[in-house]
Amino acid sequence: MENDKASGNFNKSGSKQSNQGRKPMGTRTPGIDQTFSKLPPQAVDLEEAVLGALMIEKDALTAVADILRPDSFYKEAHIRIYTAIITLFADSEPIDMLTVTSKLRSTGELELIGGAQYIMELTSKVNSAANIEFHARIISQAFIKRELIKVASEIQREAFEDTTDVFRLLDKTEQSLFQISESNIKKNYADMGALMRQALAELDQKKNNKDGLTGVPSGFSALDRLTSGWQKTELMILAARPGMGKTAFVVSSLRNAAVDFNMPVAIFSLEMSSVQLVNRLISAEAEIDSEKIRKGSLAPHEWEQLHHRIHRLTNAPIYIDDTPALSILELRAKCRRLKAQHDIQMIVIDYLQLMTGDTGGKGAGNREQEIAMISRSLKNLAKELDVPVIALSQLSRAVETRGGEKRPQLSDLRESGSIEQDADMVLFLYRPEYYGITEDESGNSVAGIGEVIVAKNRAGSLDTVQLRFIGKYTKFTDLDSQFTPAPFSVDRPIQTTNPIASFESQSKPAPAGGTLRSRANDLSNFDYKGPDSEPPF
């Protein structure tokens, strides 16, 4: 085979060679099981036509550059020729039979593809590039089929192995299929007429929103008036120093969207476990001190209060994933699945610096480059799924070294300036009392005040919104809301039946076609011993 290849003995027509049952010379079938006694999908005659057209018309490449890659070609010789053409184009050099021949000669590949005679034969096969785009799409489709066959062969081989982890294999399969789709099926441009009709249709729909909300509501009135809600396709970065309340803010926001507006939301918690996150939700919803929830030291009437108030939260369409060190590739796959199965309307990542790149942190350059890649991928994810993505981020220690009020600014974003560049909105969370500041410039108390500083907003104005932070419940509320615990009578009879059984009776799965309740609230595995025992959370 190597001798044949070196001599340039290629099958110019692209047809099967019948003599001695050999496959065509110069073809590549890496990773494909040849036991099927069939040639992989190919369109060698069209490959020849496309390459010939590229060398006779100077503008032909612009029509196929976003459709074809070197690997799209089946014959090894065609891969080398197309690579030479792409290199000439990148160097702004003319593309014709002579320049391509010269380029291949300079790289030592001319004889490998069959010599200058083969280049001449390619250009003689076509008269124009009139149908080059149509031909290129057929070549691309054949390549996609070959990739699918390759993936299927690998999956079949691994599935037969007794040592294969089936869940890891499922994840690998999904990632492989997603990569094929992502790299080969690209969105085309739209003309102004179509875009104008779409914009007018959206405006007509928005005019019915009397509250001015056009996105996913945060549940904070002043913030929603400023942003009109978290907008689809946008990437929001919420940044603050550790302990400022980032998770509390975003959990309060997604709770408001899911419970008050019945919008399915997903949160990927890389820092806290699912149960820890649910404990926060329970503390805020039931208005019970989070310290008591953590220790399990609830009074009998607090058990009753907890059981009475978490019913709405139990059935909320909240989906929690606490996979540690989640890669951006895994995140995309999980989000696509959640969008297809539950039509999620918002995605939250807590937090960005704990994610890894597609390479799992190996060979991806320095950490700043990896964070830049992750932030770009999150923006692409928001556009692909048409949902807002909120990513939490840490601020650098530069905030602590500044004097005065230590308000954060865009330059404090940690590890990568591309976070600021990719984000449609950057919000900082700031609580003056965190730094021991008890009064503002006017002498007003700032105890329990949290500020959301909108430092970047591509679609709107910049402003600062004040919220009330209730530390013992780890929740944020509107500043002007009068916070008083909901009426609850301690004179009501204490529940003596098992509250978990009662809980399960009130939280049965929704009927077919309805919204599934959050898996994070599934308490069926806990054994309740009574109000004085450890809580079932």
Side-chain angles (χ1 to χ4, degrees), residues 354-518:
L354 291 179
M355 294 191 67
T356 61
D358 289 344
T359 59
K362 298 179 180 178
N366 60 40
R367 180 59 177 167
E368 184 173 337
Q369 292 173 337
E370 190 174 17
I371 291 293
M373 182 273 291
I374 291 171
S375 66
R376 285 194 299 270
S377 298
L378 292 179
K379 174 58 182 175
N380 292 336
L381 179 67
K383 292 183 67 176
E384 179 191 350
L385 299 185
D386 195 32
V387 299
V389 173
I390 303 177
L392 277 58
S393 178
Q394 295 281 27
L395 290 178
S396 68
R397 292 190 178 91
V399 180
E400 310 295 338
T401 61
R402 283 200 298 269
E405 297 181 334
K406 304 182 187 297
R407 290 179 179 271
Q409 54 194 32
L410 289 173
S411 59
D412 296 326
L413 285 171
R414 186 176 173 184
E415 287 189 312
S416 178
S418 66
I419 297 178
E420 173 189 345
Q421 174 185 322
D422 296 326
D424 296 282
M425 188 181 296
V426 177
L427 305 98
F428 294 122
L429 200 59
Y430 172 72
R431 291 192 294 114
E433 63 180 340
Y434 181 88
Y435 295 107
I437 301 172
T438 57
E439 294 182 347
D440 60 16
E441 296 177 352
S442 303
N444 299 317
S445 174
V446 293
I449 300 297
E451 296 182 5
V452 180
I453 304 169
V454 181
K456 177 186 177 181
N457 188 2
R458 275 199 183 121
S461 58
L462 307 180
D463 204 349
T464 297
V465 174
Q466 288 191 330
L467 301 176
R468 185 172 302 282
F469 176 66
I470 309 168
K472 63 180 180 179
Y473 300 150
T474 59
K475 68 185 289 189
F476 282 83
T477 63
D478 282 331
L479 182 64
D480 54 0
S481 64
Q482 293 297 322
F483 172 70
T484 53
F488 185 81
S489 173
V490 295
D491 296 330
R492 291 175 55 189
I494 301 301
Q495 176 176 310
T496 56
T497 58
N498 188 336
I500 303 304
S502 178
F503 167 90
E504 291 176 341
S505 68
Q506 295 182 24
S507 56
K508 292 179 180 178
T515 303
L516 296 177
R517 63 188 179 91
S518 170

Side-chain angles (χ1 to χ4, degrees), residues 83-267:
T83 300
I85 291 172
I86 292 293
T87 304
L88 290 170
F89 180 78
D91 295 338
S92 300
E93 297 181 11
I95 300 171
D96 56 35
M97 179 180 67
L98 296 178
T99 56
V100 172
T101 302
S102 177
K103 188 67 178 177
L104 289 168
R105 183 179 290 113
S106 67
T107 58
E109 297 176 298
L110 183 60
E111 295 305 317
L112 294 177
I113 60 96
Q117 178 66 28
Y118 187 61
I119 300 291
M120 189 180 302
E121 290 180 10
L122 290 178
T123 57
S124 66
K125 289 180 180 291
V126 291
N127 296 318
S128 73
N131 301 316
I132 189 170
E133 185 174 350
F134 181 75
H135 295 162
R137 294 196 182 279
I138 296 177
I139 294 171
S140 179
Q141 290 172 16
F143 169 67
I144 293 173
K145 288 181 179 179
R146 293 198 300 273
E147 289 293 287
L148 291 172
I149 292 172
K150 177 182 175 182
V151 170
S153 299
E154 292 176 354
I155 294 168
Q156 183 186 41
R157 184 162 52 249
E158 291 190 32
F160 275 107
E161 296 291 335
D162 293 336
T163 58
T164 299
D165 186 317
V166 65
F167 297 106
R168 187 173 181 179
L169 180 58
L170 281 172
D171 188 57
K172 179 182 177 181
T173 302
E174 189 175 53
Q175 290 180 23
S176 300
L177 293 176
F178 178 78
Q179 283 180 315
I180 294 173
S181 173
E182 186 79 359
S183 59
N184 292 282
I185 302 174
K186 298 179 181 178
K187 185 178 179 181
N188 204 352
Y189 61 84
D191 61 77
M192 191 60 185
L195 292 174
M196 188 65 73
R197 286 190 293 273
Q198 180 180 347
L200 291 175
E202 290 182 1
L203 283 174
D204 185 61
Q205 184 178 6
K206 290 175 182 178
K207 73 179 182 181
N208 299 321
N209 297 329
K210 297 180 181 180
D211 54 7
L213 283 174
T214 57
V216 177
S218 69
F220 306 120
S221 303
L223 185 59
D224 284 338
R225 280 194 296 269
L226 178 64
T227 64
S228 297
W230 309 120
Q231 299 297 314
K232 293 180 178 180
T233 75
E234 290 192 356
L235 171 63
M236 275 72 66
I237 299 294
L238 176 67
R241 288 294 294 155
M244 197 65 74
K246 296 186 298 296
T247 303
F249 172 83
V250 80
V251 166
S252 296
S253 179
L254 70 87
R255 176 264 170 212
N256 294 339
V259 175
D260 295 338
F261 297 90
N262 199 35
M263 290 188 169
V265 295
I267 178 169

